[in-house]
């Protein structure tokens, strides 16, 4: 027979784990609700700041990867983040790419909507037949619209984002004199 004894710490740890999980969920839900509130109240500002923050996080990850690659995976040197580069990414993401994305994707949705309104189709005639026809045609329309959005993003918007990021960070880092060479070396191969 195996005897199990619990100390007071074991019992409190067992009880606090679900409480911690619930607190984390509540915090995450509150943060998401606050973000959605700001997205509704100040859509452009929220989207632009979100773009800037994501840009900083992405650049930090890129700098960590670069550091690890240049050191062959050895942690012999301390990672020093390039704060000027991060600031350049933040400025570009917040003031150029963020607004461009917000306006471009909103305009694309107006031009070729991915989401359709079934209520308009239902008002036109037989509700049951209209619902079945709408479901079949809307799936195809949504697929075509989404494909168009992906094509425009890939071949038009992405090159603009990369170009604006390269130009902005070069200017912010004081590498204007080498910008033309950097674009020829790094930008052209990216899209050709």
């Amino acid at each position: 027979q195996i005897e199990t004894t619990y100390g007071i710490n074991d019992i409190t740890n067992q009880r606090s784990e679900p409480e911690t999980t619930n607190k984390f969920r509540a915090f995450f839900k509150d943060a998401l609700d606050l973000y959605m509130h700001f997205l509704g109240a100040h859509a452009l500002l929220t989207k632009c700041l979100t773009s800037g923050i994501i840009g900083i996080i992405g650049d930090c990850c890129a700098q960590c990867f670069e550091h690890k690659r240049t050191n062959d995976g050895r942690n012999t040197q301390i990672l020093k983040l390039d704060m000027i580069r991060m600031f350049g990414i933040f400025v570009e993401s917040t003031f150029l790419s963020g607004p461009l994305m917000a306006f471009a994707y909103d305009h694309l949705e107006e031009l070729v909507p991915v989401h359709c309104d079934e209520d308009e189709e239902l008002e036109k005639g037989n509700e049951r037949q209209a619902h079945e026809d709408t479901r079949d045609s809307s799936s195809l329309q949504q697929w075509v619209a989404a494909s168009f959005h992906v094509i425009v993003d890939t071949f038009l918007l992405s090159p603009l984002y990369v170009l604006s990021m390269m130009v902005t960070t070069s200017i912010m880092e004081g590498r204007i004199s080498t910008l033309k060479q950097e674009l020829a070396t790094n930008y052209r191969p990216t899209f050709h």
Side-chain angles (χ1 to χ4, degrees):
Q1 195 178 33
I2 298 174
E3 212 174 292
T4 308
T5 58
Y6 291 101
I8 191 72
N9 289 336
D10 295 329
I11 294 170
T12 52
N13 284 342
Q14 289 176 354
R15 289 182 187 163
S16 66
E17 185 174 304
E19 291 173 15
T20 304
T21 303
N22 288 337
K23 286 181 183 178
F24 177 74
R25 286 182 184 162
F27 171 78
F28 185 73
K29 183 185 179 315
D30 289 345
L32 187 59
D33 288 344
L34 183 64
Y35 179 78
M36 295 305 290
H37 166 75
F38 281 116
L39 197 56
H42 310 285
L44 182 61
L45 177 63
T46 304
K47 290 175 183 180
C48 292
L49 289 175
T50 301
S51 178
I53 292 167
I54 290 172
I56 287 175
I57 293 169
D59 189 55
C60 284
C61 293
Q63 288 187 46
C64 290
F65 176 75
E66 290 170 3
H67 175 74
K68 194 169 194 166
R69 194 177 80 184
T70 56
N71 291 319
D72 295 326
R74 294 173 277 138
N75 291 329
T76 56
Q77 294 179 354
I78 296 174
L79 170 66
K80 291 183 181 179
L81 293 175
D82 185 347
M83 300 305 279
I84 294 173
R85 174 176 145 176
M86 289 172 53
F87 181 70
I89 295 290
F90 178 77
V91 167
E92 190 279 329
S93 297
T94 303
F95 298 108
L96 292 173
S97 290
L100 179 61
M101 282 190 277
F103 290 122
Y105 294 130
D106 286 348
H107 186 66
L108 269 175
E109 186 62 30
E110 288 174 13
L111 186 66
V112 183
V114 173
H115 302 91
C116 63
D117 190 9
E118 288 184 23
D119 294 337
E120 291 176 10
E121 294 296 323
L122 292 175
E123 290 174 5
K124 292 180 182 175
N126 182 345
E127 288 187 18
R128 185 177 191 149
Q129 184 64 35
H131 183 68
E132 290 174 11
D133 292 344
T134 301
R135 191 172 356 137
D136 293 339
S137 66
S138 70
S139 296
L140 179 61
Q141 288 172 346
Q142 287 174 326
W143 184 87
V144 169
S147 298
F148 178 74
H149 286 216
V150 169
I151 290 168
V152 168
D153 183 47
T154 302
F155 295 106
L156 180 66
L157 298 176
S158 291
L160 286 173
Y161 300 144
V162 173
L163 179 64
S164 70
M165 187 269 306
M166 291 180 78
V167 170
T168 304
T169 54
S170 290
I171 291 170
M172 298 288 289
E173 292 177 10
R175 296 180 286 123
I176 299 170
S177 60
T178 61
L179 179 60
K180 187 175 180 179
Q181 180 186 358
E182 287 182 36
L183 290 175
T185 305
N186 298 326
Y187 181 74
R188 248 188 229 153
T190 303
F191 296 103
H192 287 100

